[in-house]
């Protein structure tokens, strides 16, 4: 701006984060690892809209839940008056889509999704208003086998990511009838201890007493620990299902602990529920959570489709990866091209395209507010890019029909360079970069230095 007016900056929405280039390699590594694992179990991706009708969540998640009571970004579409909500989770949308498109018509389906979720929470470490999940939904499966498979898939992922401080907590919350029997005793128990209930618990006493078990209020812990346990109310079928899950996990040496207080936040769960927790992240220690939801599809008007799924919080898992002390960084490119003069610039364009044809990642120096830049300042950019090589083209190189290829990593930088004809510079560099390195997978050109 030429006039010196002070222009107010607009900043991003509180609790909604920018994911900056410095973190991109970590996200990429994480996502690639998850995708590989999901694929290895035959899961297929589904992408549903970020916005859904508000009624979908109100009906699916249950009216007396944290999310529906106070966390949803809901609004009226000013164009047509539709009531809409930014999705706080993806299971409801995936199930809606599966019904709408008859996805389980030919049999059960293993699905996965990924993307941003929105919840109006108090922002803090590990808790944001826009955050990201990857989740899996196995639709149309009845037995404990799929529950165990989902859990084992998570375990494989933690192993592949090198995360050894995530523990599995498991519970069964039975079916609706079993929960109702338990619920009556639970309300009676809480009424006996009414003096200990906080405001939220009192509000939930008759609407959703099970959720009181989930309280984080320290002064209620002892009382809640001694409350009637839902596990004691399970009938033969629910118990057999729960036993079945445990049997497969034990057979595959997946460690777990049974946490009778684990109930999960959404109403749609039944039978198996599980959480993967870590003590390395402070109070936001649940990195992945899921369970069985045998009646949700029917609640949305579909045919009976017993199902099971989970969702993991990407931000919390990335925190864990960072906490492991490893550094995740990626070079911007393999080769940075510096040049001076118009003829050199024209040649630099041609060379850069040839290098890309050969599969290399190339940054061609371009002018900025600082001007085209001296060789010296361009070389600084080349160093900062993390490239292994710079190509230098000036008047002399144009005259000689050669480029100077300079190694940016060698000890003796002064001498570690070669004059290479423009025609063969791509071959020369591919040879330098890929040639001596058997393990370098040239087709997937991502270099993480851990
Ligand atoms: P919490 O008890 O921490 O509020 P939740 O039960 O609401 O979690 P789910 O709805 O089960 O969480 O979501 C699955 C996972 O998504 C969580 O285990 C967590 O890793 C992540 N997650 C949930 N809410 C947030 C948030 N606001 N910010 C970041 N990650 C979140
Ligand atoms: Mg929550």
């Amino acid at each position: 701006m030429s006039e010196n007016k002070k222009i107010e900056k607009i900043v991003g929405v509180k609790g909604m984060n920018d994911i900056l280039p410095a973190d991109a390699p970590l996200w990429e590594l994480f996502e690639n690892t998850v995708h590989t694992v999901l694929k290895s179990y035959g899961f297929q991706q589904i992408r549903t809209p970020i916005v859904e009708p508000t009624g979908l969540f109100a009906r699916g998640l249950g009216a007396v839940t944290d999310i529906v009571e106070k966390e949803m970004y809901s609004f009226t579409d000013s164009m047509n008056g539709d009531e809409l909500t930014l999705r706080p989770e993806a299971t409801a949308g995936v199930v809606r889509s599966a019904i709408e498109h008859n996805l389980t018509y030919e049999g059960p389906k293993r699905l996965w999704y990924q993307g941003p979720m929105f919840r109006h929470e108090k922002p803090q470490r590990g808790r944001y208003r826009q955050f990201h999940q990857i989740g899996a939904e196995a639709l149309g499966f009845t037995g404990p086998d799929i529950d165990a498979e989902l859990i084992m898939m998570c375990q494989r992922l933690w192993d592949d990511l090198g995360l050894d401080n995530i523990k599995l907590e498991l519970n069964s919350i039975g079916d609706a009838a079993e929960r109702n029997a338990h619920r009556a005793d639970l309300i009676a128990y809480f009424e006996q201890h009414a003096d200990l209930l906080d405001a939220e618990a009192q509000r939930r006493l008759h609407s959703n007493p099970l959720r009181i078990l989930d309280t984080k209020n320290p002064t209620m812990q002892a009382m809640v620990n001694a409350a009637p346990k839902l596990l004691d109310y399970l009938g033969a079928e629910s118990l057999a299902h729960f036993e079945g899950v445990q049997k497969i996990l034990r057979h595959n040496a997946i460690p777990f602990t049974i946490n009778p207080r684990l109930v999960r936040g959404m109403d749609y769960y039944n039978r198996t529920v599980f959480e993967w927790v870590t003590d390395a992240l402070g109070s936001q220690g649940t990195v992945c959570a899921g369970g069985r939801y045998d009646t949700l599809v029917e609640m949305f008007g579909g045919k009976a489709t017993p199902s099971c799924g989970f969702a993991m919080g990407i931000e919390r898992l990335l925190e864990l990866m960072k906490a492991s002390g490893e550094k995740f960084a990626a070079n911007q490119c393999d080769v940075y091209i510096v040049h001076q003069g118009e003829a050199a610039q024209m040649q630099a364009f041609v060379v850069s395209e040839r290098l890309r044809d050969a599969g290399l990642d190339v940054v061609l120096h371009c002018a900025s507010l600082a001007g085209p830049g001296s060789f010296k300042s361009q070389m600084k950019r080349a160093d900062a890019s993390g490239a292994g090589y710079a190509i230098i083209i000036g008047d002399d190189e144009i005259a000689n029909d050669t480029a100077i290829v300079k190694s940016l990593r060698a000890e003796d930088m002064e001498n570690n360079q070669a004059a290479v004809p423009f025609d063969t510079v791509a071959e020369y560099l591919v040879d330098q970069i890929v040639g001596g390195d058997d393990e370098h997978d040239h087709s997937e050109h991502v270099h993480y230095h851990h």
Side-chain angles (χ1 to χ4, degrees):
M1 297 281 140
S2 46
E3 297 153 60
N4 242 350
K5 272 193 201 141
K6 190 106 176 118
I7 293 181
E8 203 187 320
K9 283 185 198 141
I10 296 175
V11 297
V13 178
K14 190 177 168 202
M16 304 199 179
N17 300 315
D18 299 311
I19 298 157
L20 300 175
D23 270 340
L26 178 59
W27 280 76
E28 195 180 342
L29 174 64
F30 178 83
E31 289 169 350
N32 289 343
T33 309
V34 185
H35 298 168
T36 305
V37 170
L38 285 160
K39 193 165 172 291
S40 77
Y41 285 78
F43 280 70
Q44 298 172 296
Q45 190 181 16
I46 181 167
R47 303 184 195 219
T48 61
I50 285 171
V51 177
E52 295 278 0
T54 300
L56 183 80
F57 302 111
R59 199 195 304 177
L61 276 51
V64 195
T65 55
D66 278 349
I67 293 179
V68 174
E69 274 185 328
K70 54 188 187 201
E71 295 176 359
M72 295 210 302
Y73 281 93
S74 298
F75 58 98
T76 307
D77 184 336
S78 60
M79 302 295 168
N80 58 11
D82 287 352
E83 300 296 337
L84 304 175
T85 292
L86 300 185
R87 65 180 183 197
E89 57 97 63
T91 303
V94 168
V95 166
R96 175 203 52 71
S97 174
I99 297 169
E100 210 167 309
H101 304 286
N102 237 329
L103 288 188
T104 55
Y105 183 72
E106 279 168 351
K109 269 264 185 310
R110 288 174 167 86
L111 302 173
W112 70 270
Y113 62 82
Q114 160 176 16
M117 308 295 157
F118 304 85
R119 298 185 193 178
H120 202 284
E121 308 204 60
K122 189 163 158 270
Q124 52 195 291
R125 181 184 178 204
R127 194 174 290 287
Y128 311 105
R129 290 180 173 174
Q130 174 174 330
F131 62 100
H132 297 79
Q133 290 182 334
I134 296 184
E137 312 290 356
L139 305 179
F141 296 92
T142 52
D145 44 359
I146 196 76
D147 308 18
E149 180 183 284
L150 287 166
I151 288 169
M152 287 173 60
M153 185 161 75
C154 292
Q155 180 67 61
R156 175 176 292 274
L157 177 63
W158 316 144
D159 292 346
D160 286 0
L161 292 169
L163 299 172
D164 54 11
N165 49 359
I166 304 178
K167 301 216 156 30
L168 175 61
E169 296 194 354
L170 193 64
N171 193 23
S172 172
I173 57 171
D175 60 25
E178 291 152 3
R179 275 202 300 282
N180 278 338
H182 169 252
R183 180 192 154 103
D185 289 356
L186 194 61
I187 293 176
Y189 172 84
F190 284 141
E191 278 172 341
Q192 280 164 25
H193 297 89
D195 50 322
L196 286 171
L197 300 180
D198 61 17
E200 187 175 72
Q202 276 171 14
R203 206 166 37 78
R204 286 183 163 162
L205 180 55
H206 293 280
S207 56
N208 198 349
L210 204 56
R211 283 289 280 159
I212 300 177
L213 295 175
D214 206 21
T215 180
K216 281 156 190 152
N217 185 344
T219 64
M220 290 170 57
Q221 297 301 315
M223 182 271 291
V224 157
N225 274 331
K229 292 187 176 34
L230 183 43
L231 272 181
D232 296 331
Y233 293 74
L234 297 194
E237 273 186 58
S238 289
L239 274 177
H241 188 101
F242 193 35
E243 268 303 320
V245 178
Q246 294 175 56
K247 187 176 172 191
I248 298 171
L249 294 181
R250 277 194 291 265
H251 186 75
N252 289 281
I254 309 285
F256 61 88
T257 51
I258 292 177
N259 175 359
R261 278 180 51 186
L262 183 63
V263 296
R264 307 286 307 116
M266 277 75 98
D267 275 4
Y268 52 63
Y269 286 108
N270 68 307
R271 290 196 176 167
T272 316
V273 291
F274 59 90
E275 287 192 357
W276 293 93
V277 295
T278 177
D279 51 20
L281 291 178
S283 51
Q284 264 61 253
T286 305
V287 294
C288 176
R292 180 159 273 284
Y293 50 95
D294 289 336
T295 55
L296 184 62
V297 178
E298 286 165 277
M299 275 169 55
F300 283 170
K303 296 201 186 80
T305 310
S307 302
C308 192
F310 66 75
M312 64 185 81
I314 300 183
E315 281 85 353
R316 292 184 193 178
L317 283 159
L318 296 188
E319 272 292 307
L320 258 193
M321 289 171 72
K322 285 182 180 171
S324 76
E326 279 188 65
K327 291 263 174 291
F328 302 92
N331 303 327
Q332 188 188 1
C333 57
D334 302 307
V335 184
Y336 194 103
I337 304 187
V338 309
H339 52 87
Q340 199 93 80
E342 197 190 334
Q345 184 188 37
M346 290 302 153
Q347 184 61 256
F349 263 98
V350 173
V351 169
S352 71
E353 291 300 327
R354 281 204 200 132
L355 296 184
R356 293 184 189 111
D357 287 343
L360 298 177
D361 299 338
V362 185
V363 171
L364 173 60
H365 186 86
C366 285
S368 64
L369 279 178
S374 63
F375 270 133
K376 197 174 161 210
S377 69
Q378 293 191 34
M379 284 304 288
K380 272 194 196 154
R381 300 268 172 173
D383 278 329
S385 74
Y389 294 86
I391 289 181
I392 303 165
I393 308 175
D395 293 340
D396 291 351
E397 285 68 41
I398 294 297
N400 297 336
D401 216 23
T402 57
I404 296 190
V405 176
K406 185 174 166 102
S407 168
L408 299 175
R409 300 275 173 73
E411 301 280 281
D412 183 1
M413 300 253 296
E414 287 311 314
N415 298 322
N416 211 312
Q417 60 180 53
V420 184
F422 287 129
D423 277 353
T424 56
V425 69
E427 271 167 52
Y428 176 85
L429 271 168
V430 167
D431 222 50
Q432 293 288 314
I433 293 170
V434 188
D437 180 2
D438 287 343
E439 292 191 4
H440 194 111
D441 180 354
H442 195 224
S443 58
E444 260 187 51
H445 213 63
V446 193
H447 333 253
Y448 299 103
H449 33 117
H450 289 198

